[in-house]
């Protein structure tokens, strides 16, 4: 493979702002994603998680702050980068993907090859990278199904396959465990870890704090568009912070599988 | 275990499972040529006399013209005899042949625009006239027909279409990004304004025969088609249509929404703008030779999607097939329109609407049933 698949890429967002119709959805939010790690993006509804992901991927224009990736010790400003070059580095798995068009799953995954192909190229059948992405995301059996006939969980995995076909160095996911049953949630989490182990920086927005505590190397907690806390989940997700940000009671318990976070309603 | 079995089956017969290689292009061309040959010999006996013209006569006559053309240029060719009389030759080559070819080209262009606009606006109800284009073209054409402005009709219609497009884009772009919804809403507004202008001009000034001219034009007709119509439609279809076909995969990416398309490396606002402008120009060119013919651009893409099924439902395949189906469909629609009610000629737009409306209703019913299930 080419060296781009080997390059470790870090992403740094500094003081990101996003303002729409006079309301600040992001206010000076900063984060740092390290290659090979899974970072959890946490926060209650409306705290700016989805907005943050969209600004980082470039679908929403930041009204303040800078976004840069560091590769081979060089810092590259994302704002000045061509869309295609950005798409070769950063991929996004959205929360609810709708497509009324009945595309085949393998064609949906092949869309991830767009930033790597010639402009105006038609789809390549049996692209090896797309085939590999299909296998890694575990959607081989779905490859010849039509995307619009899939369940929510299946769509989520197909979207992940499409994102992997982009061969991103930074992978963003917006609540990828939504719609999934418990086994599938664990499966998704395992997949994200596998992706990170190949040197990708993973940023995943999650609602389930216990799952985040178990999965993430680091968490970023958002509140009203601001970063409330950053760091190791065991340090960050303290009872005080959980009570403050989510209005829930949290406590760490030691069980047979190590320490875990248990969340319950505030008394 | 099951996964491994799946892989084994996949490698065993990949070709059989996927994309069977049918020579669609060849089949399409044969159907197209045969359709044109058959369509142009059909016509009322009151015009050509009781003896029927056969497709072989047409081929013989074509051969006559080819050899005559070569001989004129000093090539040693014996000029073949023309099986058609002078009158019949004129009817075929100056009337029906350019008319048939124009119908094919316009049908292909409108259907292609339908695919592109439905994809670019993520609106299954989008059609080539969505952006106020047909109303703008009508305003330009009616102005010429009634007010007697000294401009050729196709030019006036095209200018009207382009002005309507500019108004739509300006309106949609005020104070925000060019989203799909804004483009559609702006198009509706501009279309209504232009339609009001058309009604006002007709109401205030039209008299006598000009009514029928205008009505024919507003409903779409190939009655005035000539080889120059063919040239206009052909150049527009090849140049603009060729570029549009290159955007098939981009449209596939659009199907997942603006955010997903952006994440895949597509510059969404700029691409959408470009697609709208190109479709509008193509539609404008088509409207300028035929008047506004409804339902082809709206219905054909849906029918084609239904026929192709998911294995070939990428926008590239849908766009190509829609162009072919749209062209052949409009040719036959026009052939029926000009022959069935002789001596009266029905505007072809009336016929496409008559056929298109029930087809569209069927598609709607079907999609609802699928959605419920």
């Amino acid at each position: 493979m080419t060296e781009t698949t080997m390059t470790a890429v870090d992403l740094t967002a500094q003081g990101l702002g996003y303002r729409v119709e006079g309301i600040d959805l992001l206010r000076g939010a900063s984060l740092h994603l390290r290659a090979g790690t899974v970072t959890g993006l946490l926060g209650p509804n409306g705290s700016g998680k989805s907005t943050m992901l969209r600004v980082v991927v470039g679908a929403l224009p930041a009204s303040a702050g800078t976004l840069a990736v560091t590769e081979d010790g060089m810092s590259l400003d994302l704002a000045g980068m061509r869309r295609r070059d950005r798409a070769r580095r950063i991929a996004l798995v959205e929360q609810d993907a709708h497509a009324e068009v009945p595309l085949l799953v393998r064609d949906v995954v092949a869309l991830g090859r767009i930033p790597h192909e010639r402009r105006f190229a038609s789809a390549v059948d049996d692209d090896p990278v797309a085939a590999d992405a299909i296998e890694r995301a575990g959607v081989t059996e779905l490859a010849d199904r039509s995307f619009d006939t899939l369940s929510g969980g299946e769509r989520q995995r197909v979207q992940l396959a499409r994102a992997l076909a982009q061969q991103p160095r930074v992978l963003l996911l917006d609540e990828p465990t939504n719609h999934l049953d418990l086994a599938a949630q664990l499966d998704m989490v395992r997949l994200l870890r596998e992706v990170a182990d190949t040197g990708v920086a993973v940023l995943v927005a999650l609602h389930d704090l216990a799952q985040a505590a178990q999965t993430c190397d680091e968490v970023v907690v958002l509140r009203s568009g601001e970063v409330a806390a950053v760091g190791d989940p065991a340090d960050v997700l303290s009872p005080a912070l959980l009570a403050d940000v989510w209005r829930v009671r949290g406590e760490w318990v030691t069980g047979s599988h190590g320490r875990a976070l248990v969340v319950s309603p505030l008394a | 275990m099951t996964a491994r079995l799946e892989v084994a089956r996949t490698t065993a017969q990949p070709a059989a499972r996927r994309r069977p290689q049918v020579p669609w292009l060849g089949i399409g061309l044969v159907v197209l040529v045969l359709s044109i040959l058959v369509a142009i010999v059909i016509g009322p006996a009151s015009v050509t006399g009781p003896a029927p013209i056969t497709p072989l006569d047409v081929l013989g006559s074509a051969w006559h013209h080819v050899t005559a053309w070569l001989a004129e240029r000093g090539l040693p060719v014996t000029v073949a005899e023309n099986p058609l009389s002078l009158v019949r030759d004129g009817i075929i080559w100056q009337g029906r042949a350019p008319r048939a070819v124009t119908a094919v080209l316009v049908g292909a262009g409108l259907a292609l625009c339908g695919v592109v606009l439905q994809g670019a606006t993520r609106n299954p109800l989008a059609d080539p006239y969505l952006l106020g284009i047909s109303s703008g073209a009508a305003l330009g054409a009616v102005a010429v027909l009634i007010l007697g402005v000294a401009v050729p009709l196709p030019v006036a219609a095209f200018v009207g279409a382009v002005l309507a497009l500019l108004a739509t884009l300006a309106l949609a772009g005020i104070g925000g990004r060019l989203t799909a919804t804004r483009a559609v809403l702006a198009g509706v507004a501009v279309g209504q304004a232009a339609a009001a202008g058309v009604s006002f001009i007709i109401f205030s000034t039209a008299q006598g025969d000009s009514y029928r001219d205008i009505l024919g034009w507003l409903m779409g007709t190939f009655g005035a088609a000539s080889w120059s119509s063919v040239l206009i439609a052909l150049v527009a279809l090849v140049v603009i249509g060729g570029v549009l076909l290159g955007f098939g995969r981009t449209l596939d990416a659009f199907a997942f929404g603006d955010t997903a398309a952006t994440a895949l490396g597509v510059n969404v606002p700029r691409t959408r703008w470009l697609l709208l402008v190109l479709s509008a120009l193509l539609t404008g060119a088509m409207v300028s030779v035929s008047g506004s013919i409804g339902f082809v651009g709206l219905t054909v893409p849906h029918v084609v999607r239904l026929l192709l099924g998911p294995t070939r439902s990428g926008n590239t395949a849908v766009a190509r097939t829609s162009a072919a189906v749209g062209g052949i469909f409009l040719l036959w629609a026009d052939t029926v329109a000009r022959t069935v009610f002789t001596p009266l000629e029905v505007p072809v737009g009336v016929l496409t609407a008559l056929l298109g409306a029930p087809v569209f209703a069927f598609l709607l019913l079907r999609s609802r049933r699928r959605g419920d299930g």
Side-chain angles (χ1 to χ4, degrees), chain B residues 112-181:
Chain B
L112 178 59
C113 282
V115 175
V116 172
L117 287 170
Q118 284 167 16
T121 62
R122 296 188 78 197
N123 185 341
L125 293 178
D127 79 349
Y129 305 129
L130 183 75
L131 304 173
I133 297 161
S134 76
S135 304
L139 190 55
V142 169
V144 168
L145 283 171
I146 292 184
L147 306 178
V149 187
V151 178
L153 189 65
V155 175
F158 187 72
V159 169
V162 171
L163 288 180
L165 168 73
L166 291 178
T168 298
L169 289 177
L171 194 58
I174 289 173
R177 303 217 292 179
L178 183 62
T179 63
T181 316

Side-chain angles (χ1 to χ4, degrees), chain B residues 315-338:
Chain B
N315 277 292
T316 311
V318 172
R320 284 179 192 157
T321 315
S322 294
V325 170
I328 291 167
F329 168 72
L330 199 51
L331 168 63
W332 284 110
D334 180 53
T335 306
V336 171
R338 74 178 163 79

Side-chain angles (χ1 to χ4, degrees), chain A residues 11 13 16 18 26 50-63 67-69 77-87 89-92 94 166 170 172, chain B residues 177 258-269:
Chain A
L11 183 140
L16 284 187
Y18 180 71
L26 282 184
S50 297
T51 307
M52 182 79 171
L53 295 176
R54 286 175 185 193
V55 169
V56 172
V57 87
L60 294 177
S63 52
L67 268 168
V69 287
D77 183 21
L78 285 175
M81 194 181 277
R82 289 191 314 158
R83 291 233 173 260
R84 284 160 61 84
D85 293 335
R86 192 166 174 157
R89 292 172 170 84
I90 308 176
L92 169 69
E94 282 187 281
Q166 278 174 257
V170 178
L172 314 174
Chain B
R177 303 217 292 179
D258 289 5
T259 302
T262 305
L264 288 168
V266 178
N267 186 329
V268 172

Side-chain angles (χ1 to χ4, degrees), chain A residues 102 106-107 110 117 125 144 166, chain B residues 17-19 246 249 255 263 313:
Chain A
R106 63 168 75 243
D107 291 334
E117 288 166 356
D125 281 1
D144 292 304
Q166 278 174 257
Chain B
R17 228 164 30 88
R18 234 198 136 194
R19 314 259 154 97
R249 289 193 88 199
S313 62

Side-chain angles (χ1 to χ4, degrees), chain A residues 2 11 13 35 43 65 67 69 89 98 121 129 140 160-162 166 173 175 193 200 214 231 242 255-256 266-267:
Chain A
T2 55
L11 183 140
L67 268 168
V69 287
R89 292 172 170 84
H98 291 294
V129 178
T140 311
L160 176 64
R162 189 188 68 200
Q166 278 174 257
L173 303 101
E175 295 178 26
R193 175 56 64 189
V200 174
Q214 211 164 30
L242 262 59
S256 52
L266 270 184

Side-chain angles (χ1 to χ4, degrees), chain A residues 66-187:
Chain A
T66 57
L67 268 168
V69 287
T70 317
E71 50 188 66
D72 300 326
M74 285 217 313
S75 180
L76 295 174
D77 183 21
L78 285 175
M81 194 181 277
R82 289 191 314 158
R83 291 233 173 260
R84 284 160 61 84
D85 293 335
R86 192 166 174 157
R88 289 180 200 187
R89 292 172 170 84
I90 308 176
L92 169 69
V93 174
E94 282 187 281
Q95 194 173 158
D96 286 303
H98 291 294
E100 297 301 323
V101 183
L103 280 174
L104 276 194
V105 164
R106 63 168 75 243
D107 291 334
V108 173
V109 176
L111 291 177
R113 300 305 297 154
I114 289 178
H116 294 275
E117 288 166 356
R118 245 176 350 101
R119 270 167 210 273
F120 305 119
S122 48
V124 181
D125 281 1
D126 310 317
D127 179 289
V129 178
D132 182 53
I134 286 175
E135 204 184 307
R136 281 168 70 195
V139 291
T140 311
E141 314 92 88
L142 306 177
D144 292 304
R145 293 260 310 271
S146 173
F147 186 79
D148 63 344
T149 65
L150 302 183
S151 72
E154 289 169 332
R155 287 178 191 210
Q156 209 74 276
R157 279 194 290 156
V158 171
Q159 284 216 95
L160 176 64
R162 189 188 68 200
L164 291 178
Q166 278 174 257
Q167 295 178 297
R169 307 315 297 154
V170 178
L171 177 62
L172 314 174
L173 303 101
D174 197 354
E175 295 178 26
T177 51
N178 264 5
H179 304 300
L180 302 191
D181 61 42
L182 277 172
Q185 287 190 22
L186 294 175
D187 220 37

